Amino acid sequence: MPFRDGESISYPEGKAEITSIKLRLEPGQQTPFHCHPIPTFGYVLSGKIEVKTKDGNKTIMSEGESAIEVMNTYHRGRAIEGPVEIVVFYAGAEGIPTTVLEGDDGC
């Protein structure tokens, strides 16, 4: 799966909590820089997205592709060539956030 930074996956301690969201970005729209303190997996339902880390590494994912997202690394996604829809799965634990925005504590 694309877009891993070579780190190992570590699951948080505590009562397991698996959640998911369906994310839609309009053409050219991008998320703020954020990170995931838990294992996070994404599947592109439609469209194309560019994912870029704060240090400039980037990858492009298209419809039908999946990825294990980077952990504890700030990154953002941007819809390219039209809208994009992604389903994101979080393998977390009760009380631990799935996503932390840049500037907040947690990554």
Side-chain angles (χ1 to χ4, degrees):
M1 292 182 175
F3 208 68
R4 287 288 300 146
D5 61 0
E7 69 190 72
S8 61
I9 294 176
S10 60
Y11 294 94
E13 292 186 23
K15 184 176 178 187
E17 185 173 76
I18 307 298
T19 56
S20 65
I21 63 164
K22 184 177 175 184
L23 174 67
R24 179 180 172 90
L25 297 175
E26 297 303 324
Q29 182 182 5
Q30 68 183 10
T31 67
F33 275 108
H34 63 281
C35 66
H36 305 290
I38 59 173
T40 304
F41 313 88
Y43 179 81
V44 181
L45 295 170
S46 63
K48 190 180 281 191
I49 187 167
E50 176 188 78
V51 181
K52 188 179 209 178
T53 63
K54 285 284 286 188
D55 62 7
N57 291 326
K58 68 180 178 178
T59 190
I60 294 176
M61 295 176 51
S62 299
E63 182 176 328
E65 293 185 313
S66 60
I68 301 170
E69 292 197 37
V70 291
M71 283 183 64
N72 301 312
T73 301
Y74 288 102
H75 62 284
R76 67 179 173 201
R78 181 174 61 94
I80 56 175
E81 299 178 14
V84 65
E85 286 190 328
I86 303 168
V87 63
V88 183
F89 301 92
Y90 304 98
E94 201 170 82
I96 297 175
T98 59
T99 303
V100 176
L101 296 178
E102 182 180 30
D104 292 344
D105 292 331
C107 278

